[in-house]
Amino acid sequence: MSEWDRDAIDLVEPGFIEFTEDGAGELGFIVVRGELDCRPAERDGRAGVEFTWAGSDEGDEVSGRGWAFLVGDAEIEGHLSFHFGNDTSFRAEPSPPSR
């Protein structure tokens, strides 16, 4: 994330964004947790999603919007905005499977 360093992003748990096939998803970073409402999108021939999100930041309700598009086979790049607040670009790659 361009706005915060890795130590901040992973403060409570490793930062993540997850998209599910049913058009939903979740995100978590620092002390922010949220649910995603996703719509398929395409940009410059790349598959991706545009989404709105709602959740909490240290108990305060927060919401926003964002987008993410494939870069290569598995990595994504995107942007996340808080309603009337911060915004940040991000890059993410799949996490290794849990055991």
Side-chain angles (χ1 to χ4, degrees):
M1 301 181 101
S2 62
E3 186 72 15
W4 302 282
D5 66 28
R6 173 63 61 189
D7 288 339
I9 294 165
D10 297 339
L11 181 65
V12 174
E13 64 182 322
F16 71 93
I17 188 164
E18 178 182 37
F19 304 101
T20 59
E21 290 184 20
D22 64 357
E26 291 185 78
L27 57 78
F29 59 95
I30 311 175
V31 292
V32 175
R33 287 295 297 227
E35 294 181 329
L36 308 179
D37 178 11
C38 305
R39 300 291 183 266
E42 185 176 307
R43 184 174 292 165
D44 299 325
R46 297 183 298 161
V49 295
E50 294 178 342
F51 58 88
T52 57
W53 67 275
S56 67
D57 181 358
E58 285 192 291
D60 295 330
E61 288 185 24
V62 290
S63 63
R65 61 188 170 88
W67 52 264
F69 290 89
L70 282 172
V71 178
D73 291 333
E75 190 171 353
I76 60 171
E77 64 181 13
H79 200 88
L80 177 75
S81 297
F82 284 77
H83 188 66
F84 293 120
N86 290 347
D87 65 306
T88 184
S89 60
F90 66 87
R91 290 181 75 89
E93 56 190 37
S95 59
S98 339
R99 294 183 189 237

